[in-house]
Amino acid sequence: MLSHLTFLLLACLAVPSGAQRPQIQLRLVGPRSQVGEGRLEVLYNGQWGTVCDDDFNIHVAGVACRELGYEGAVNWAHSAKYGPGDGPIWLDNMRCSGTESSLAECESNGWGVTDCNHNEDTGVICTGLRRSNPATARIQDSRVEDVRIKPILARAKLASPITEGALEVKIHGRWRQVCDAGWTRNNTRVVCGMLGFPKEGRVATGFYRKLWNQKLKDPRSSLKSLTANNTFWIHRIKCLGTEAHLGECKLHVPPPARNQPSCPGGMHALVSCIAGPQFQPIRAKLPGQAKPKEEQQVRLRAGAQIGEGRVEVLVGGQWGTVCDEDWDLPAASVVCRQLGYGTAREALSRAQLGQGLGPIHLTRVRCRGYERSLAECRSQGAMQTGCRHEADAAVRCNVPQTEARSQVRLAGGRTPEEGVVEILVSKGGALRWGAVCGEHWGLQEAMVVCRQLGLGFASHALQETWYWKGNSDAAKVVLSGVRCKGTELSILECQHHGPVHCPSGGGRFSAGVTCTSSAPDLVMSAQIVQETAYLEDRPLSMLSCAHEEGCLSASADRMEWPYGHRRLLRFSSQIHNLGRADFLPKTGRHAWIWHQCHRHYHSIEVFTHYDLLTLNGSRVAQGHKASFCLEDTNCPDGQQRRFACANFGEQGVSVGCWDTYRHDIDCQWVDITDVPSGSYIFQVVVNPKHEVAESDFSNNVLRCQCQYDGHRIWVHGCHTGDEYGANIEWDEEAQQRLASNLV
């Protein structure tokens, strides 16, 4: 006999006429749930989640117990007394007066807005015998679990993603069709949002009605008998169009009167959705037809999956984050639709998808749900509110289901998150699996594969896969010369060779990946560089170690050591880890290199590149900084430093911490002895060879305007590569080509 059985006690809430509160269900989970004691869980948007114990009190517990059908509450339990739950934490900082009929009527941070973890899940102890609740049956019958579109036309069946057809709704594990009587465009908007589409389209209802009538007359069709069965139908759905989930709409499964047909004279409800730009098929355009691309006003950063990330908005030409105060699903849904996705699945707070660096533009964002952009919502400037990056808002959006995930697989790995990359391509009119050539395979390409599979970020990109055996039906190389930007939805969208050219021949030289759900993200502080830059004429007698490590320009080799000096552009750098995983050296300490001159270990061959460029991007001076010490120089208040270099300690940069390289240490400079006076661009690149995987490489480059008159230098306008709008962003690939032209 099982000692820990989970007994579900369901209490449901019917939405009264005119009210706009969501439909929810409650249950208690735990070994004593049958007697009114256990962990409190809430069903919202078709998913069970927990309640945080912050501010939870006897008034909140009483409302929950009465909603479950008990007389009241005698106590509540803090800190997961009944074990931690899983899934989302739906409610936090609950505030009830005690007179509410449902938790949905109480105040809280908002659905899914929390800074708790499951060790803070709350439980309740109810009193009295549980009574039946007439509202339970009504809502239990109308709980929406999922929706889908059943394509009818041949062209719709071939489309990816599917955007048009008959609507089907899943209730209690059974798919039902919806009667089209009273069906509105607002209903379609909500359905399309759930399916990952930002807009709804128009349907040729008359044409579909003819097809429906033909099916009814066809004696071989079972449609006539099915439509006569009320369990085939959902009688009516009514939405406002601002809901994030169909479960928030008014829904009637059976007709109002007994023995009344559910859909007399009607047919199934039809929906047509419009996919976002990145999910639409690419069509060739004639010269002159291409429209100028509008500059994006909102973006997502550091998300492990497509359609999720930290929210950043463009204000005054500069990107900044959004504070999570009052951040909720309606506001998150506006962001998702603005980016070409559907409604939001979750509105995340407390920098759950990483912290930003730079300005915080907005706070107290309030949207009704019908706005076309976040700029149309009410909000306040965050400058005077004291909001910090620990409270950066993020979202997880509904995205369309496409065939991309079924076109790639991993084989031979120890876990499902690693293996040889195998792709499905069309060859000679037939689909076949094959391998990818490992030559030039890198982290950007691996990132695309991991995201395409829904496995998050890439932690390693392997050009040789000696220890992983691929499938026998995919031994032949079918893709080579792959080059990705890292933002593509499929590896087949990346640049690649036309005819396959793979001198290594695949096999053990096929491409492989290792995926992870979290990754670090290094960003250099532009303010520190700008404030600390200065010139120093340093005697050669003090530069012997730096010369040994290659930190001086080539002309230093021709000087009469130790006489003379070198002119150095010196500065401090502060490198923050804004990701969700520690930044660790690629190699273990057994492979670190000892440098006798400075008497320290280098854990990464080159950690940063320092360059002085002409205004057209050609390099006139360069330097580099080997990672002789990766450590937590400082961490936020309350967070302990974990990495330190002393005594051959572990090296790395913890999440939220930063590593500072002071201006007065060796190689923290660019040797500009041979540089003539003029205007230049000073550039710093962190992790330049992408030796260590990061969630976002677009912010690894810092650039400053630089004016040098032969005696003094002015450094100003420093910013990271993705900090400003597209009109002043730098083409990274073009810059790399120009920088190779050393003057």
Side-chain angles (χ1 to χ4, degrees):
M1 177 176 169
L2 295 175
S3 57
H4 294 287
L5 296 175
T6 300
F7 296 87
L8 307 183
L9 302 177
L10 301 179
C12 311
L13 170 67
V15 179
S17 177
Q20 298 304 322
R21 66 171 186 255
Q23 298 176 348
I24 65 170
Q25 295 181 36
L26 303 185
R27 69 182 180 185
L28 299 181
V29 177
R32 292 180 54 79
S33 58
Q34 75 277 19
V35 294
E37 180 180 345
R39 182 176 66 250
L40 180 62
E41 295 194 352
V42 183
L43 180 69
Y44 174 72
N45 270 1
Q47 187 175 8
W48 286 103
T50 60
V51 179
C52 181
D53 62 11
D54 288 355
D55 293 340
F56 202 89
N57 57 36
I58 194 66
H59 298 298
V60 185
V63 173
C65 287
R66 285 192 294 274
E67 188 172 0
L68 284 161
Y70 293 95
E71 293 179 7
V74 294
N75 207 344
W76 73 98
H78 287 292
S79 303
K81 174 183 176 182
Y82 303 104
D86 52 22
I89 300 175
W90 280 129
L91 294 170
D92 188 10
N93 297 115
M94 295 287 297
R95 297 176 292 279
C96 302
S97 65
T99 60
E100 296 88 348
S101 60
S102 167
L103 286 184
E105 299 176 10
C106 300
E107 294 182 13
S108 69
N109 290 350
W111 292 99
V113 180
T114 179
D115 57 354
C116 297
N117 58 57
H118 282 296
N119 291 323
E120 299 171 85
D121 289 342
T122 192
V124 295
I125 302 173
C126 302
T127 182
L129 295 175
R130 185 169 182 264
R131 60 184 183 276
S132 61
N133 185 349
T136 302
R138 289 199 299 271
I139 294 301
Q140 209 168 354
D141 285 343
S142 61
R143 179 165 59 86
V144 175
E145 298 172 15
D146 201 1
V147 299
R148 69 184 181 189
I149 295 176
K150 183 179 180 180
I152 298 173
L153 303 181
R155 61 174 174 79
K157 293 177 181 178
L158 296 174
S160 177
I162 294 171
T163 58
E164 184 174 307
L167 172 65
E168 294 189 336
V169 177
K170 190 177 185 180
I171 295 179
H172 284 288
R174 179 172 181 172
W175 289 99
R176 295 169 178 254
Q177 295 203 357
V178 181
C179 182
D180 70 340
W183 187 259
T184 67
R185 189 156 182 156
N186 284 340
N187 296 357
T188 302
R189 175 177 167 82
V190 175
V191 170
C192 291
M194 285 184 65
L195 293 171
F197 303 111
K199 298 179 182 178
E200 71 282 4
R202 295 189 178 275
V203 182
T205 310
F207 177 74
Y208 280 101
R209 170 61 77 172
K210 289 180 181 178
L211 292 179
W212 175 268
N213 291 336
Q214 289 175 6
K215 278 283 188 182
L216 286 178
K217 294 176 183 177
D218 188 348
R220 295 169 298 177
S221 173
S222 60
L223 184 60
K224 190 170 185 178
S225 60
L226 283 173
T227 55
N229 186 350
N230 277 358
T231 60
F232 178 73
W233 293 107
I234 290 175
H235 176 63
R236 183 161 296 184
I237 297 176
K238 186 176 182 181
C239 302
L240 298 174
T242 57
E243 297 88 349
H245 192 278
L246 201 64
E248 299 175 32
C249 303
K250 295 180 180 179
L251 186 148
H252 303 280
V253 176
R258 187 174 295 180
N259 300 324
Q260 177 185 341
S262 287
C263 195
M267 66 173 185
H268 44 213
L270 299 163
V271 297
S272 176
C273 304
I274 299 174
Q278 59 183 319
F279 298 100
Q280 292 180 2
I282 300 173
R283 294 183 175 89
K285 293 184 179 180
L286 296 174
Q289 284 186 332
K291 296 181 180 179
K293 192 175 180 181
E294 293 183 7
E295 187 172 11
Q296 207 174 21
Q297 300 298 312
V298 64
R299 67 184 184 186
L300 302 182
R301 280 289 183 266
Q305 307 292 342
I306 297 169
E308 73 172 36
R310 180 179 62 252
V311 179
E312 296 187 355
V313 293
L314 187 65
V315 177
Q318 187 174 14
W319 289 101
T321 60
V322 177
C323 186
D324 64 7
E325 188 172 356
D326 292 341
W327 186 249
D328 57 11
L329 276 174
S333 293
V334 170
V335 169
C336 291
R337 288 186 188 271
Q338 186 177 352
L339 289 168
Y341 305 114
T343 48
R345 290 188 292 116
E346 290 182 74
L348 302 171
S349 62
R350 292 294 173 189
Q352 291 185 49
L353 296 185
Q355 297 181 24
L357 187 69
I360 302 173
H361 285 318
L362 302 177
T363 186
R364 296 173 185 165
V365 178
R366 296 180 181 89
C367 304
R368 297 183 180 180
Y370 58 77
E371 295 88 349
R372 291 173 298 177
S373 74
L374 204 63
E376 297 179 10
C377 301
R378 290 186 299 163
S379 64
Q380 295 181 14
M383 188 175 296
Q384 306 301 327
T385 63
C387 198
R388 301 173 64 180
H389 283 296
E390 290 87 342
D392 283 342
V395 298
R396 287 196 175 103
C397 305
N398 288 312
V399 297
Q401 296 294 319
T402 67
E403 295 177 350
R405 189 171 294 189
S406 62
Q407 294 172 343
V408 64
R409 67 188 184 190
L410 303 182
R414 296 161 297 180
T415 68
E417 290 76 33
E418 66 178 23
V420 180
V421 178
E422 297 178 348
I423 61 171
L424 187 65
V425 295
S426 177
K427 293 288 183 181
L431 293 174
R432 60 167 295 176
W433 288 96
V436 179
C437 183
E439 192 172 354
H440 305 304
W441 182 259
L443 276 172
Q444 297 283 36
E445 292 72 40
M447 284 284 189
V448 173
V449 169
C450 290
R451 283 213 176 99
Q452 185 176 349
L453 288 166
L455 297 176
F457 306 107
S459 57
H460 295 93
L462 293 92
Q463 297 183 356
E464 300 178 11
T465 48
W466 289 88
Y467 302 106
W468 295 339
K469 185 178 181 181
N471 292 298
S472 57
D473 64 337
K476 188 175 180 180
V477 174
V478 295
L479 196 67
S480 64
V482 183
R483 290 191 65 188
C484 302
K485 295 179 180 178
T487 58
E488 295 86 351
L489 298 178
S490 165
I491 193 68
L492 294 175
E493 294 178 10
C494 300
Q495 295 180 15
H496 55 270
H497 291 156
V500 174
H501 176 70
C502 188
S504 59
R508 293 294 180 250
F509 296 94
S510 298
V513 299
T514 302
C515 304
T516 179
S517 59
S518 59
D521 183 20
L522 296 186
V523 183
M524 181 171 288
S525 170
Q527 181 180 357
I528 296 295
V529 173
Q530 183 167 310
E531 291 177 351
T532 59
Y534 66 97
L535 291 181
E536 180 192 10
D537 288 341
R538 194 165 182 81
L540 288 179
S541 59
M542 303 175 68
L543 292 172
S544 56
C545 284
H547 188 220
E548 179 186 305
E549 293 188 15
C551 297
L552 302 176
S553 59
S555 64
D557 297 338
R558 300 188 293 272
M559 296 190 70
E560 296 182 8
W561 288 75
Y563 307 107
H565 67 271
R566 305 297 295 181
R567 176 158 292 179
L568 309 175
L569 169 57
R570 309 198 70 150
F571 59 95
S572 296
S573 62
Q574 189 179 91
I575 301 170
H576 295 248
N577 181 4
L578 304 182
R580 298 169 59 206
D582 298 335
F583 185 91
L584 303 173
K586 183 179 180 180
T587 57
R589 65 171 70 193
H590 65 281
W592 296 352
I593 300 173
W594 174 258
H595 280 249
Q596 181 64 31
C597 188
H598 282 118
R599 302 192 64 79
H600 56 235
Y601 283 93
H602 286 201
S603 57
I604 296 179
E605 182 182 352
V606 177
F607 183 51
T608 50
H609 276 169
Y610 307 144
D611 299 306
L612 200 65
L613 311 172
T614 63
L615 297 184
N616 72 357
S618 296
R619 185 185 292 126
V620 295
Q622 65 184 110
H624 75 274
K625 184 69 182 173
S627 177
F628 71 86
C629 176
L630 275 176
E631 68 176 3
D632 297 331
T633 308
N634 294 100
C635 292
D637 293 342
Q639 182 175 342
Q640 190 165 354
R641 296 165 55 196
R642 295 173 44 236
F643 297 106
C645 300
N647 301 319
F648 194 38
E650 289 291 345
Q651 293 192 25
V653 184
S654 301
V655 175
C657 299
W658 55 93
D659 191 2
T660 301
Y661 293 87
R662 287 174 49 88
H663 59 86
D664 53 0
I665 62 176
D666 269 2
C667 298
Q668 188 63 29
W669 62 59
V670 177
D671 184 353
I672 64 168
T673 305
D674 308 317
V675 175
S677 58
S679 297
Y680 299 98
I681 295 170
F682 176 48
Q683 175 178 277
V684 181
V685 186
V686 183
N687 193 15
K689 297 182 179 180
H690 295 177
E691 287 188 49
V692 180
E694 298 185 46
S695 61
D696 186 3
F697 287 115
S698 66
N699 53 18
N700 283 36
V701 181
L702 179 142
R703 299 185 183 93
C704 305
Q705 300 296 317
C706 189
Q707 186 73 31
Y708 177 49
D709 68 358
H711 304 283
R712 295 165 296 177
I713 197 162
W714 292 268
V715 176
H716 60 94
C718 296
H719 64 277
T720 55
D722 69 339
E723 187 177 347
Y724 290 92
N727 57 325
I728 53 176
E729 280 188 359
W730 196 293
D731 185 327
E732 184 178 357
E733 187 175 343
Q735 185 273 332
Q736 288 176 351
R737 290 197 298 268
L738 283 168
S740 64
N741 300 326
L742 183 63
V743 176

